[in-house]
Amino acid sequence: MTALAQKRRIAQAGADNAKTDIKARTKEKTLAMKQQTAEKTSLIADQIREKAEQAARLVRDNTPYSVRDKTAQAAAQVWGGATRAGQYAVDMTPDPLLEKAGHATAAARGNRTPLLVAGAAIIALVLVRRSRARRR
């Protein structure tokens, strides 16, 4: 083996080691960033949850009991009416249609993520169009 070949081999080994070091440092930094992001996300979520609880407490504390009672009664009536309407719709719907609806529901449950993404995209589109329409 010539001296030039040995130098090339040593240079190649050094380059391979440098690549390995860079990859290892990149992985370490990526892991550290993931951990920091998770911690910050958790902290922000806790802050949002706390603010929401404070707002709910404020609304509850500043709402008179009579209004809360009437609201609870109205909610119970709406819930009961919706339950009766839903049962009536199920009773009056033909069996083949119920079967197709069951298949569609199962497919939707199996593909929640794409449906949620599509729903979010539609909502964003509607909001953008509304804001542009208001500017005109």
Side-chain angles (χ1 to χ4, degrees), residues 24-45:
R25 280 185 279 164
T26 303
K27 284 182 181 180
E28 288 173 8
K29 287 182 181 181
T30 303
L31 181 61
M33 289 179 69
K34 281 183 181 180
Q35 289 173 343
Q36 288 176 349
T37 303
E39 290 171 3
K40 287 180 182 179
T41 303
S42 176
L43 179 65
I44 291 170

Side-chain angles (χ1 to χ4, degrees), residues 9-89:
R9 186 177 287 163
I10 292 170
Q12 182 64 38
D16 290 344
N17 287 340
K19 286 181 187 178
T20 304
D21 289 345
I22 290 171
K23 286 181 183 180
R25 280 185 279 164
T26 303
K27 284 182 181 180
E28 288 173 8
K29 287 182 181 181
T30 303
L31 181 61
M33 289 179 69
K34 281 183 181 180
Q35 289 173 343
Q36 288 176 349
T37 303
E39 290 171 3
K40 287 180 182 179
T41 303
S42 176
L43 179 65
I44 291 170
D46 290 343
Q47 290 173 347
I48 290 171
R49 193 175 302 112
E50 185 178 315
K51 294 289 182 185
E53 288 172 0
Q54 288 175 356
R57 259 187 259 115
L58 268 174
V59 169
R60 186 176 51 244
D61 293 345
N62 292 328
T63 303
Y65 289 112
S66 61
V67 173
R68 282 196 250 170
D69 289 341
K70 288 180 183 178
T71 304
Q73 289 172 357
Q77 287 177 347
V78 169
W79 184 265
T83 302
R84 285 190 301 277
Q87 188 58 47
Y88 179 76

